[in-house]
């Protein structure tokens, strides 16, 4: 703490209730000055020699035959006047960061300038401010905090502006050149490590982080904090990530954690103003450098406190640029009236659409990838958002108020290339079917048709094959493609291919081209429709024989699923006159099923009326 002492006479001021009397054996009091509720009994000549204002007031009082002078709206109150009076009497005056602004404003009010007397109080306080206070990091912050109660005097005297400039300049310093304790709010391990500017520390200090200053300025109120941050940004030397961390720290310091406190009538206006100020300070020039989690929390608060539309639009824009960094919990934003859903699905859909539009734009500008691996490496954010939205779909699927149309719209907002695996999508659809049991067969078929069963893993396929909530058409597709995988796995083992995954994919592709029959007459026998030259029953035996463990290929399907598969395929090829059920002939078809029927249209046309339904 810095102190300044002025004068050396032993005379004193003594408190006497609400009055303060100057005690001296040499001078008698002949003027009474009232400041607020305190009365000062003083001798006028020492005061008149230093204060131009008191000269005018005493002259006016003499004309009115009065010895009482009342100072109205005196800056700093009685304590500040006492400092000025002591200085006039040549007494010791102690200045520190807590009272220096009040003393400076009081001296300005009393017009204690150099024109009245050389070496007057204004001059000496200015020397103290420039040589000591503004050179100290923590003193500058303390002085800035004291200026709030002394406006507009502190503003007119440019004390506020000089404090802000001092603070902003120090935040922009190279951390390696900082030799003082970089924060006075944090506890240092060793107390004697506290040093000030210009002092050499004997030992090697621990590395000072770039955000060493963010906690200290959190003590400032929002209006002063905003001015400091604007000054810091205007310097152009502060990294955007550090500014983002400073805003996050300030929001955690002042925004309440509970929803009740956020929306309470007593603090809602303050919280709204604080939030809008933080949003306007977010760094946008070089891309948003705040974390997506922090931005989404700000968006939640903005919705709760009713922030203006421009602030929310800025947040949505910033979040859409970093959506791939979010988590499912971050997106669980409570919906506000008149929305009936638990979470704000429309807002998330807007975020996804903005993100995808930007990704498509950047993708179109780039050279197309040469391989799948190049695509994955170049579009990692694309895949992350796909996984994120599938997880979000699983959360909102439990909400009975989420309509099928809203669910499908959000599902389709993610392109197929962002979902290389459909396990998470299958889980979300399954939960939705479980929680929305009133869906019609057509709605179930339409929803499940959006899932590509070829992109399900083995575990998901085995679960789907036994899932009674799925339409029969979807179960058949799962069984069919699992049969393809089984055949591909057997061929892979026979050729001893070291790269099992790539070989399976290539075998499946070749099989798909060879297995689908060309257009043929209805009279062709069932022996012509084979899987790798084998009928389904024989192929099943091969799968069972070769699937002792997971590494050797897919395991034999459960008995219920196998019965469905065998009955469907054996019945189809033997021509026993089975009729297709209504559940497998709806207009809502998956892409896979359309391909199969497109190839087999002519061969199955005349036998459609001869098939029995399968339940």
């Amino acid at each position: 703490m810095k102190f300044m002492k002025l004068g050396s006479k032993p005379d004193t001021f003594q408190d006497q209730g609400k009055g303060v009397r100057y005690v001296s054996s040499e001078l008698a009091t002949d003027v009474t000055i009232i400041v607020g509720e305190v009365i000062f009994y003083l001798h006028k000549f020492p005061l008149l020699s230093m204060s131009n204002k008191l000269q005018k007031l005493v002259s006016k009082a003499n004309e009115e035959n009065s010895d009482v002078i009342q100072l109205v709206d005196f800056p700093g109150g009685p304590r500040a006047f006492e400092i000025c009076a002591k200085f006039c009497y040549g007494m010791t005056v102690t200045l520190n960061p807590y009272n220096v602004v009040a003393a400076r404003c009081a001296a300005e009010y009393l017009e204690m300038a150099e024109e009245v007397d050389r070496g007057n109080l204004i001059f000496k306080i200015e020397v103290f401010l420039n040589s000591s206070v503004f050179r100290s990091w923590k003193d500058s912050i303390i002085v800035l905090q004291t200026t709030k109660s002394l406006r507009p005097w502190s503003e007119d005297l440019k004390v506020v502006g000089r404090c802000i400039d001092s603070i902003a300049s120090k935040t922009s310093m190279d951390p390696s050149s900082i030799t003082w304790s970089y924060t006075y709010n944090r506890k240092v391990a060793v107390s004697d490590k506290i040093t000030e500017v210009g002092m050499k520390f004997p030992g090697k200090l621990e590395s000072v982080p770039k955000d060493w200053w963010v906690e200290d300025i959190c003590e400032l109120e929002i209006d002063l904090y905003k001015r400091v941050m604007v000054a810091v940004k205007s310097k152009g030397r502060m990294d955007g990530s550090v500014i983002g961390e400073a805003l996050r720290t300030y929001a955690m310091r002042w925004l309440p954690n509970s929803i009740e406190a956020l929306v309470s009538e007593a603090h809602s206006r303050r919280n709204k103003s604080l939030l809008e100020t933080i949003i306007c300070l977010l760094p946008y020039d070089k891309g948003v450098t705040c974390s997506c989690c922090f931005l989404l929390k700000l968006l939640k608060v903005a919705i709760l406190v009713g922030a203006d539309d421009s602030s929310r639009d800025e947040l949505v824009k910033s979040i859409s640029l970093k959506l791939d960094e979010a988590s499912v919990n971050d997106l669980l934003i409570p919906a506000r009236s008149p929305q009936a859903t638990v979470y704000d699905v429309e807002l998330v859909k807007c975020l996804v659409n903005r993100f995808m539009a930007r990704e498509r734009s950047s993708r179109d500008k780039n050279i197309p990838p040469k391989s799948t691996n190049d695509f994955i490496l170049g579009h990692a954010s694309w895949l992350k958002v796909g996984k994120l939205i599938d997880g979000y779909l699983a959360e909102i699927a439990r909400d009975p108020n989420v309509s099928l149309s809203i669910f499908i719209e959000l599902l389709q907002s993610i392109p197929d290339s962002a979902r290389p695996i459909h396990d998470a999508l299958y889980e979300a659809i399954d939960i939705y079917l479980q929680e929305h049991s009133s869906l019609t067969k057509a709605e179930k078929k339409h929803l499940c048709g959006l899932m590509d069963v070829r992109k399900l893993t083995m575990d998901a396929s085995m679960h789907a094959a036994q899932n009674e909530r799925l339409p029969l058409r979807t179960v058949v597709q799962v069984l069919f493609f699992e049969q393809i995988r089984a055949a591909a796995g057997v061929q892979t083992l026979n050729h001893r291919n070291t790269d099992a995954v790539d070989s399976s994919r290539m075998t499946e592709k070749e099989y798909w081209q060879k297995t689908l029959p060309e257009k043929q007459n209805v009279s062709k026998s069932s022996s012509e429709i084979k899987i790798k030259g084998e009928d389904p029953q024989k192929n099943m035996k091969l799968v069972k024989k070769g699937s002792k463990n997971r590494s050797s290929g897919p395991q034999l399907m459960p008995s219920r699923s196998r019965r469905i598969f065998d009955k469907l395929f054996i019945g189809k090829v033997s021509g026993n006159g089975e009729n297709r059920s209504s559940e497998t002939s709806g207009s809502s078809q998956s892409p896979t099923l359309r391909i199969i029927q497109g190839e087999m249209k002519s061969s199955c046309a005349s036998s459609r009326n001869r098939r029995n339904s399968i339940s």
Side-chain angles (χ1 to χ4, degrees), residues 512-513 515-520 592-604:
W512 182 252
Q513 296 173 347
T515 303
L516 292 181
E518 298 179 353
K519 292 184 178 180
Q520 50 190 317
T592 302
L593 204 55
R594 282 197 294 269
I595 294 174
I596 299 173
Q597 290 179 345
E599 297 289 340
M600 302 180 65
K601 182 176 179 182
S602 61
S603 64
C604 300

Side-chain angles (χ1 to χ4, degrees), residues 347-608:
L347 178 59
V348 173
K349 189 169 66 174
C350 176
L351 292 172
V352 175
N353 291 337
R354 287 197 178 196
F355 175 84
M356 288 299 170
R358 184 181 65 85
E359 284 291 311
R360 289 190 183 97
S361 176
S362 61
R363 181 183 176 187
D364 293 340
K365 295 177 182 178
N366 297 332
I367 300 175
K370 297 180 180 180
S371 65
T372 304
N373 291 334
D374 293 337
F375 174 82
I376 294 176
L377 292 174
H379 295 78
S381 59
W382 187 284
L383 302 177
K384 288 180 181 178
V385 172
K387 182 178 180 181
L388 171 69
I389 298 306
D390 285 347
Y392 182 78
L393 286 170
E395 289 293 331
I396 66 171
R398 297 180 172 87
D399 184 359
N401 293 323
V402 174
S403 65
L404 181 62
S405 60
I406 293 178
F407 189 83
I408 291 178
E409 284 178 9
L410 184 58
L411 186 156
Q412 292 180 324
S413 65
I414 301 298
D416 189 61
S417 57
R419 286 192 180 103
I421 298 176
H422 276 208
D423 284 17
L425 180 60
Y426 164 65
E427 180 184 1
I429 292 176
D430 186 37
I431 294 173
Y432 191 86
L433 294 175
Q434 183 178 1
E435 298 294 333
H436 299 75
S437 56
S438 60
L439 292 178
T440 64
K441 290 183 178 180
E443 289 174 334
K444 290 182 179 179
K445 286 193 296 183
H446 178 50
L447 178 60
C448 293
L450 301 174
M451 172 181 61
D452 189 348
V453 298
R454 290 174 296 180
K455 293 184 178 182
L456 296 178
T457 62
M458 176 63 66
D459 292 338
S461 296
M462 297 301 290
H463 184 278
Q466 304 174 77
N467 193 342
E468 297 180 355
R469 288 184 290 272
L470 298 180
L472 182 60
R473 177 188 295 269
T474 304
V475 175
V476 170
Q477 285 182 302
V478 171
L479 295 174
F480 181 76
F481 286 109
E482 280 307 304
Q483 190 73 1
I484 293 176
R485 285 180 182 168
V490 171
Q491 185 170 356
T492 300
L493 289 175
N494 293 335
H495 288 82
R496 298 182 179 276
N497 194 327
T498 56
D499 191 351
V501 177
D502 293 339
S503 176
S504 298
R505 290 175 180 171
M506 184 59 68
T507 305
E508 180 177 340
K509 180 178 179 182
E510 294 173 354
Y511 164 77
W512 182 252
Q513 296 173 347
K514 295 177 181 179
T515 303
L516 292 181
E518 298 179 353
K519 292 184 178 180
Q520 50 190 317
N521 296 327
V522 182
S523 61
K524 283 197 173 185
S525 65
S526 61
S527 60
E528 294 179 36
I529 304 178
K530 300 179 180 180
I531 298 177
K532 289 297 178 180
E534 300 290 343
D535 59 52
Q537 288 287 0
K538 186 175 181 181
N539 191 68
M540 274 294 189
K541 294 178 182 179
L542 290 175
V543 174
K544 183 175 181 181
K545 181 178 179 181
S547 58
K548 296 181 180 180
N549 50 56
R550 289 184 65 88
S551 62
S552 62
Q555 297 179 356
L556 187 61
M557 300 176 187
S559 58
R560 173 180 173 273
S561 303
R562 179 180 173 183
R563 285 197 304 272
I564 295 175
F565 181 84
D566 293 347
K567 189 175 182 180
L568 189 71
F569 273 84
I570 295 174
K572 181 193 298 185
V573 299
S574 61
N576 290 329
E578 296 179 296
N579 293 323
R580 182 175 300 178
S581 67
S582 61
E583 191 173 13
T584 60
S585 60
S587 60
S588 175
Q589 301 177 4
S590 68
T592 302
L593 204 55
R594 282 197 294 269
I595 294 174
I596 299 173
Q597 290 179 345
E599 297 289 340
M600 302 180 65
K601 182 176 179 182
S602 61
S603 64
C604 300
S606 61
S607 63
R608 181 174 300 167

Side-chain angles (χ1 to χ4, degrees), residues 296-317:
L296 282 164
K297 287 180 179 178
L298 289 182
L299 182 58
K300 292 178 184 178
V301 176
I303 294 173
L304 288 172
V305 301
D308 56 53
D309 294 339
S310 60
S311 298
R312 279 191 275 186
D313 289 342
E314 286 295 330
L315 282 177
V316 170
K317 177 182 177 182

